[in-house]
Amino acid sequence: MEESSSQVTRDSSSLLYEERFMCSVCLDEFTDPVTTPCGHNFCKTCLTQYWDNSPNCICPLCKEKFTKRPELKINTTLREVVDHFKKKKGLNKPDVYCDACTGVKLKAVKSCLHCGLTFCKSHLEPHNNVPKLKKHKLINPVENVEDYMCQKHERPLELFCREDEMCVCQFCTETDHKTHNTVTIEEESGEKRTQLGKTQSKVQQMIQERLKKMEEIKRSVQLRKKSTEREIADSIEVFTALVHSIERCQAELLQVMEEKQKAAERQAEGLIKDLEQEITELKRRDSELEQLSHTEDHIHLLQIYPTMNNPPHTKNWTDISIDTDVNVETVRKVLSQLQKTLNTKLSETLNTKLKQAVDTELKRSQQYAVDVTLDPDTAHPELILSDDGKQVTNGDTKQNLSDNPKRFNKCPIVLGKEGFSSGRFYYEVQVKGKTKWDVGVARESVNRKGTITLIPQNGFWTVILRNENQYMACAYTPVSLTLREKPQTVGVFVDYEMGLVSFYDVEARSHIYSFTGQSFNEKLYPYFCPCNNNGGKNSAPLLISCISKTVCHLQSI
């Protein structure tokens, strides 16, 4: 890019230098340049011949008249600069050789338009000394001398016919071009040079604009890079926090499971101890019963029978057990809490990031704010526009207005005066208090008569409100929009080259909808439709907001 810009600058400078070193009479580089009292430079021979053939002594360029013929002295400084330029330029310019030389041809120094020949320095001498030859028109040496001469009359092309846009000789003005408007080649060349100067200024301006745009793009890339780096850093921070939350919840889950395991072990130890005690007691009873089963002391047996006949009192172990499975409900509860925590954190993070991104996007869009004024020539006859062209209401009664081609005659629509066929633009419109409205942009060639269908294929890119809270984007298939808040001010941003139309809720700093991948090939105009009054429920106006670019700039810093 930088190399290309440098080349353009070098080329522009080269053209500028070449123009400064050209004589406006012969249209070639200066040879022995002289300066007139008015400050213009010419070849000495060109100026001398011009004055010799003119009744008055005037400057060929600015036409200033001199009462006394100035004494011409060669501008040595300019000659040195021109010679240096010629040498530099001559590296790529083929040499022209003398037509009069026999044998070894010498380099030519001048071409004579009367003779139709090119001469070296020695063969040019007669043109400097012979009075008749001194009147011949000389130019810097060229290979195609015939191109500078009239092919019909074999005379120098000294005049320019403005009707036929061609160079002619003096004889041509007495025959084919007798009634035509002819001027000297010098005069026409001066005007053309002036026009070329203007064109060059425009070209240089275009170069500067593109260089500026190139720098703007570079800055945008750098800003985008910094923004991306910040987003990456923020994302790493967020996900690091989420990982820590997962690790903490995992640790809590493991702790709960370990505590449950220890509690189960303690329960088992107590139960085993109770079982061991009961087993000891039962063994003791078993031993006593064994002894009684063999006793001969019948009286003693009968005395203790009621006590010994019943088993000792013990626990009912039928339903007592240790759960061998992990408590699923506990795990599920912990996992549910973990999921809830993660979802909350992730939702909060994503919502914050999304809001920040939309806010940044909206601020960037607002930098392209334009001053929109409603065009009364497009307004439906029922619409009432304010004097400043900033708000529109539906009066419900048709006004007596001419039905010009620009006016909508069926739907209560009005367009902005200003159309845009390139770049980016943004405007805001207040929709507060309305139950129905349409806002967006429209193509210049849209149908303005009869019923209209709001779809991109027909040249409309709009978002609409119906029945107080039903928002829709009018795509080929309408898109129902769910908005958290009811927009009070809608921002509309268009990037013509990107084929993008975006809508924003300005107060909520949120994105409403975007048409992407569109193809624009003509002017786009801001579009407004306040809809009908609906018995006074929808009588509030659509009001175009005034956006301060200074504020937009400060917001973007």
Side-chain angles (χ1 to χ4, degrees), residues 60-233:
L61 194 58
C62 69
K63 306 304 180 183
E64 182 176 339
K65 187 176 181 180
F66 308 116
T67 54
K68 182 180 178 182
R69 182 165 178 165
E71 182 180 351
L72 300 177
K73 292 185 179 179
I74 294 175
N75 187 333
T76 55
T77 302
L78 180 58
R79 182 173 64 181
E80 290 174 359
V81 174
V82 173
D83 288 344
H84 175 74
F85 178 77
K86 285 181 179 178
K87 288 179 182 178
K88 190 174 181 180
K89 183 181 177 183
L91 295 174
N92 299 319
K93 187 174 181 180
D95 293 328
V96 179
Y97 294 95
C98 177
D99 293 327
C101 287
T102 57
V104 178
K105 291 184 176 291
L106 300 178
K107 286 184 181 179
V109 294
K110 288 289 180 181
S111 293
C112 176
L113 297 183
H114 285 75
C115 301
L117 298 173
T118 300
F119 301 105
C120 63
K121 187 174 182 179
S122 60
H123 285 113
L124 186 65
E125 281 300 320
H127 283 77
N128 296 327
N129 301 318
V130 178
K132 187 176 181 179
L133 295 179
K134 287 173 68 175
K135 295 181 180 181
H136 288 192
K137 188 173 182 64
L138 300 177
I139 62 172
N140 283 336
V142 293
E143 289 185 339
N144 51 337
V145 183
E146 61 275 6
D147 290 346
Y148 295 78
M149 299 180 66
C150 175
Q151 300 301 309
K152 184 175 182 180
H153 302 110
E154 297 185 351
R155 299 287 295 173
L157 296 172
E158 299 176 303
L159 301 169
F160 184 82
C161 175
R162 287 179 170 172
E163 272 81 356
D164 296 331
E165 288 286 321
M166 61 182 295
C167 296
V168 296
C169 70
Q170 185 64 44
F171 288 170
C172 289
T173 62
E174 298 172 3
T175 55
D176 297 342
H177 301 266
K178 186 174 183 178
T179 59
H180 294 181
N181 179 19
T182 57
V183 295
T184 63
I185 285 180
E186 291 77 17
E187 181 180 348
E188 184 66 21
S189 175
E191 291 190 12
K192 289 291 192 289
R193 196 179 297 276
T194 300
Q195 292 301 320
L196 288 174
K198 293 179 180 178
T199 302
Q200 183 184 13
S201 296
K202 291 181 181 178
V203 170
Q204 290 174 348
Q205 182 181 355
M206 291 171 67
I207 292 171
Q208 293 304 315
E209 289 173 353
R210 280 148 182 77
L211 290 173
K212 184 178 179 181
K213 177 58 70 174
M214 186 172 68
E215 292 302 320
E216 180 184 325
I217 292 172
K218 288 181 179 179
R219 285 196 300 271
S220 298
V221 171
Q222 291 300 319
L223 290 173
R224 179 62 182 269
K225 182 179 179 181
K226 291 180 180 178
S227 177
T228 301
E229 290 173 350
R230 285 197 301 269
E231 291 298 320
I232 291 174

Side-chain angles (χ1 to χ4, degrees), residues 23-35:
C23 171
S24 60
V25 176
C26 67
L27 305 181
D28 211 334
E29 290 94 347
F30 291 123
T31 299
D32 294 336
V34 293
T35 305

